[in-house]
Each structure stands twice: as structure tokens, then as C-alpha cells.
Amino acid sequence: MPAPMLHPVLKNGVGAFIPQCRRLVFHYCERSGSSRGMIEYLKKDLIQFAKEHPHVEVIVTPRPSKHPVIRGLYLNGKDKVVCVRNMEPTDIAGKVNLLKESAGNRMKVFKKPVISTTESVRGIWSPFHTAPHKI
Amino acid sequence: MAGVLRSSLTPLVLARASLRAVPAARVCAPVLARTFLINVKPTESTSTTSPTNPKLRIEKPTSAVVAFAHRLGLNKLKDQTLLMRIVTHPSYERVGIQSNEGLDVLGGKVMEMFVLEYFHTKYPKMPTKMLHEVVSTYTRSSTLALMAKEFGVDDVARWVRSKPDQEHQLHVKTVQASVVRAVVGALYADQGALKAREFVHAHFLSRELDLKPLLEIDDPKLHMSFLMKRLNRERPVARLMSETGRLSKAPVFIVGVYSGTEQLGEGFGSSLKMAETRANKNALTKYYLEEQKDFTLPSDVEREGAVYKPTPIGDTPVIV
């Protein structure tokens, strides 16, 4: 049976770090009250954010008669959507930051203290490599 | 009256139907440029003709391409017109648009060279066949296609699908691999060998690959005896170091391979022969995959004020 094809596995951050958020889409409504904070954010803070994070493509689109929404798209093909209805610009900035820092994976509970692909330095204990018990 | 009402109602009904069509499109398999943008056309790149050559179009990079460039550090390229060129596959034939073919070829060779010199210097005794396999694992199209997905090449690559009746079907992986190679080529051409090497080391060599399965030896025991003969050392002897459950359903034997009093390798197994084979394999792995810890690469000579220190060249593998 032929051996399965081996591929070198990515370890993001070891050599170079590739930020996982590739696009943020901002939807707002011109008329509805729930978009008031969003519109203020778009006018005040968004351009500065876009300048500081040139690796993220920022798209702003009106979406009439709907609540304001921010959609983050990631390199693993997944997306995260956050509704920011009735939020103030500072809270919206917090949500934008959350989406920007995220990696597109589902939120997981990590039960183990260490997750690693490399073996332990001292090796796993073996009964065959210990000295026999002496009294 | 009824007729007037009916005619005024129909536009509303039509509008609602068209709005409802959008969520339906979102439910199917995501092709992100189309599904997650409502009423937004993907930003087209604007272009003007080059002042020197009127047939050549200089394209302003799209926002997606700019983001892609910043993600990989290509924003530091002196010639920013290279960006659109990197992501354009030759299948995307338009008048005045250049493809990434040249950069692809250049980048492929550069990438292979840097990966090869690294492994050749770090593992001087690695057998040549294995060295070729290691380099190919890092630089072949399937790996590059995987890397391309992690770089986000999918939404920036410009290419045209083959027609169904064409005999050679262009695969998306070929396009993805060409873009990755073109990135390396562009860095090499624009920024020089050292910057290209930095990129290759950071993105390719930082990836994890277990080398032990790539060392393929048919008969480790026979190979070991030939190796000891070549090294003018005592012939290898296998000794049982410890065991348990010999007559049970799950025995464990630990066998060590010795040359005189020095242990060369150790292996475990559920039979004596299995443990001995594993011990010989372990000994050969330790010998052939001996790592150099502090080493200077031949391409370090490109650095300013560098004095070239010849790297040690290991022995060729034993001929069995």
C-alpha cells in the first residue's frame, strides 16, 4: 500500500505570523435608529482602524431596513457575524477588535494546559528504562 | 380601481421576491466573494498604460490584493506593479496584462535552492535520495496549494477555467502553487536573495515535518553491518536488554544494537525479530539524520562583510 502523502504542517507564528482575519464587512442602515452608533463609528474610527491594519480588507455597505452587522471573514473560509444594534462607537470598536483578533474557528474550551505537536524533552516514562527498586 | 391597485402592488411583490432570493444564495456552499457581499461589486482594479510601453497596462491593485500583500510582507516591494502580476495566472489572457509565468519559474528554482541548502547543511549525512524527497515534500505543488490556502490566495488569484472539451484541464491547485512560487520569485527579483531566503525560511522551513519516515531502508540489519564495516568498527551485535510477557498475548522485548560496548540504537517490539529490526533502524536514523546545531549556510555570503566558512560535507550513504 503506498504511503500517504506527507505535507509540512503550518505552525503559525514560529517563522512568520499570518494574521487570520482577511476581510471585515460593515453593514448599516441610513435611516434606522439601531445604526446610529455604527454610523458614528464609521465616520470617526473606521478609517484609522483600516490604516492601522492594512492586512484586513475593509468593506462598508448600506443594508437598508436591517440592524447594523459586522461580518469578519477568515483564511480558513469561515466567517463570524456580530450584530451591533444600539451599540455605542466604543463598544463597536471592541467588537471590531474581537473579530480582527479571531481566527475563524469556533470557540473551544481548552481542557489541557499544554497543546503541542513536539514530544516532551525528557521523554515519556518507561518501566524498562528505570533502575529496579532496591531496599 | 381594482386595476390600479393591482398594477401598484406588483412592483412591491417583485422587490420582495428578489430580496428573498439573496438568503437562498447564501445557503449554498460558500464562494465568499459572491455570497457574503450584498449589493457590492468586487472592487475592479483600475489601470493606465505604461508611459514607456503603451501596450502594457499598469494596474492599480485591488483592495483584496493589497491586503494579501500586507499579510505576506509584499508591501515592501519597491515595484508595486508586481502585485497584480503575481496573482495573474497565464490562463487569464487579456491584452496588456502580464502573467506570473516568469516569476513562477524563477521562484520555484529559488525556493528549491534555499530549502536544499538548508537541509544539506543541517544534515550532512542524509542520503541523497532522502534529501531529494525532503526538498520535494517542501516544494511540490500539493504542499504549495495547501500553503496558498493558508495565505489566502483563493480570493486574489486571477485565472480562467479550462473548457470541458480541452484535453488538459487546468486544476485550481496548479494556479495556487504558481502564485506562491511567484511571490518568492518577486521577492528575489525585487528585494534580493537574502529577503527571498528570509521568506522561505519563515514560511516554508518553519513548518513541521517528521523526517524519520522519509528514511527508507529495506534491510536495516544488513545495512547496519555494511555501515560498521565501512566505519572500521566492530560488527554490530543485537542484545536483549529487557523483556516482559514472553509467553503471554502481549510480549514486549527491548533490544539494543551494540558495536563492542557502545550502544548504537534501541528498539522495542512484540517479537525478538521486530525489536531487532527496530533497533537497527533506530541506529541508522541516529547516524544518517545527525543534526548540525551551529551552521552557516552557503547563501550567508550574500550578507555584507560576510566571510565564507566552508560547510562540512558528509559521507555518502553505504552501498548495500
Side-chain angles (χ1 to χ4, degrees):
Chain A
M1 199 174 81
M5 206 180 244
L6 296 170
H7 289 123
V9 175
L10 172 71
K11 295 189 109 178
N12 206 9
V14 173
F17 179 68
I18 303 171
Q20 293 294 303
C21 182
R22 63 180 180 86
R23 188 189 293 173
L24 284 173
V25 184
F26 292 80
H27 290 304
Y28 68 98
C29 173
E30 297 278 0
R31 288 167 56 183
S32 55
S34 57
S35 289
R36 205 166 33 87
M38 171 66 129
I39 288 168
E40 212 186 313
Y41 175 81
L42 296 175
K43 283 182 186 169
K44 265 178 29 185
D45 305 320
L46 182 61
I47 292 171
Q48 180 63 25
F49 173 86
K51 279 187 182 154
E52 280 167 7
H53 305 97
H55 61 268
V56 178
E57 194 188 349
V58 172
I59 295 172
V60 177
T61 312
R63 192 172 172 227
S65 308
K66 295 282 179 191
H67 284 308
V69 142
I70 313 171
R71 187 187 285 273
L73 290 120
Y74 301 93
L75 292 176
N76 64 351
K78 297 201 173 120
D79 70 323
K80 286 190 179 177
V81 188
V82 174
C83 177
V84 294
R85 61 173 188 185
N86 299 320
M87 279 191 191
E88 293 303 311
T90 38
D91 302 322
I92 293 175
K95 292 293 181 189
V96 168
N97 203 45
L98 190 139
L99 288 173
K100 184 255 304 174
E101 306 266 283
S102 183
N105 300 315
R106 284 183 75 184
M107 298 299 280
K108 269 192 279 201
V109 174
F110 289 105
K111 294 183 180 170
K112 299 185 180 175
V114 175
I115 302 165
S116 174
T117 51
T118 50
E119 311 161 340
S120 55
V121 176
R122 292 182 58 194
I124 308 293
W125 178 85
S126 155
F128 304 106
H129 296 90
T130 51
H133 179 70
K134 282 182 192 144
I135 298 169
Chain B
M1 188 74 163
V4 170
L5 271 168
R6 220 179 287 130
S7 63
S8 67
L9 270 170
T10 39
L12 275 169
V13 170
L14 278 170
R16 215 176 288 140
S18 68
L19 277 172
R20 246 186 241 129
V22 174
R26 243 184 280 164
V27 165
C28 66
V31 178
L32 293 165
R34 288 202 297 272
T35 23
F36 295 120
L37 297 173
I38 305 168
N39 300 328
V40 171
K41 291 184 190 67
T43 47
E44 292 295 323
S45 64
T46 56
S47 62
T48 51
T49 52
S50 152
T52 47
N53 182 4
K55 285 187 185 161
L56 181 65
R57 268 161 62 182
I58 297 173
E59 291 180 285
K60 193 164 161 257
T62 59
S63 55
V65 170
V66 173
F68 171 74
H70 278 274
R71 211 176 295 138
L72 298 181
L74 293 174
N75 52 311
K76 297 198 185 91
L77 286 177
K78 292 187 199 94
D79 183 12
Q80 286 290 299
T81 62
L82 280 173
L83 290 179
M84 288 311 279
R85 195 167 164 177
I86 289 168
V87 298
T88 310
H89 189 259
S91 61
Y92 189 85
E93 282 173 30
R94 303 280 184 277
V95 176
I97 300 289
Q98 288 180 317
S99 74
N100 67 7
E101 202 166 358
L103 295 171
D104 178 355
V105 172
L106 176 65
K109 298 293 178 201
V110 165
M111 184 200 298
E112 274 178 33
M113 200 268 283
F114 287 133
V115 173
L116 177 70
E117 76 162 2
Y118 180 80
F119 282 104
H120 181 74
T121 315
K122 190 171 180 190
Y123 301 97
K125 292 183 195 147
M126 195 190 275
T128 8
K129 184 163 170 275
M130 185 186 162
L131 185 62
H132 281 301
E133 264 185 58
V134 170
V135 172
S136 116
T137 307
Y138 274 93
T139 58
R140 63 184 165 210
S141 291
S142 57
T143 307
L144 295 180
L146 207 75
M147 287 176 72
K149 202 160 166 250
E150 285 151 7
F151 288 168
V153 165
D154 275 333
D155 46 296
V156 288
R158 294 197 300 187
W159 61 295
V160 173
R161 282 173 215 276
S162 324
K163 294 201 173 65
D165 56 307
Q166 269 177 304
E167 38 177 82
H168 176 65
Q169 290 288 303
L170 181 62
H171 203 266
V172 65
K173 284 189 180 174
T174 318
V175 177
Q176 288 169 336
S178 79
V179 174
V180 178
R181 279 188 226 109
V183 167
V184 180
L187 276 165
Y188 184 80
D190 191 88
Q191 302 269 291
L194 273 181
K195 288 287 174 191
R197 190 181 81 165
E198 249 178 63
F199 185 88
V200 171
H201 279 222
H203 288 100
F204 289 76
L205 297 176
S206 66
R207 292 178 160 243
E208 200 187 3
L209 179 76
D210 190 15
L211 298 177
K212 290 196 208 85
L214 292 170
L215 180 66
E216 283 161 9
I217 291 164
D218 287 332
D219 190 344
K221 189 174 172 183
L222 185 67
H223 199 116
M224 201 61 209
S225 74
F226 274 97
L227 180 64
M228 289 297 113
K229 208 177 277 179
R230 179 204 268 192
L231 298 174
N232 273 328
R233 295 176 62 180
E234 287 187 51
R235 68 178 190 87
V237 174
R239 295 199 177 98
L240 180 65
M241 286 159 61
S242 62
E243 59 162 295
T244 185
R246 185 185 279 255
L247 301 172
S248 74
K249 197 183 80 165
V252 178
F253 298 99
I254 309 265
V255 166
V257 168
Y258 289 82
S259 170
T261 50
E262 192 201 333
Q263 187 187 33
L264 303 165
E266 196 182 289
F268 69 95
S270 51
S271 72
L272 286 163
K273 261 198 186 157
M274 180 181 172
E276 190 185 0
T277 311
R278 281 218 171 120
N280 282 301
K281 188 79 200 278
N282 178 237
L284 289 167
T285 307
K286 272 165 129 181
Y287 176 77
Y288 284 127
L289 297 184
E290 195 189 306
E291 264 183 48
Q292 299 295 110
K293 295 294 179 185
D294 293 310
F295 55 89
T296 52
L297 294 166
S299 57
D300 277 336
V301 77
E302 304 263 349
R303 283 208 196 118
E304 268 185 51
V307 178
Y308 183 63
K309 196 176 88 178
T311 52
I313 298 172
D315 222 352
T316 49
V318 164
I319 301 159
V320 174

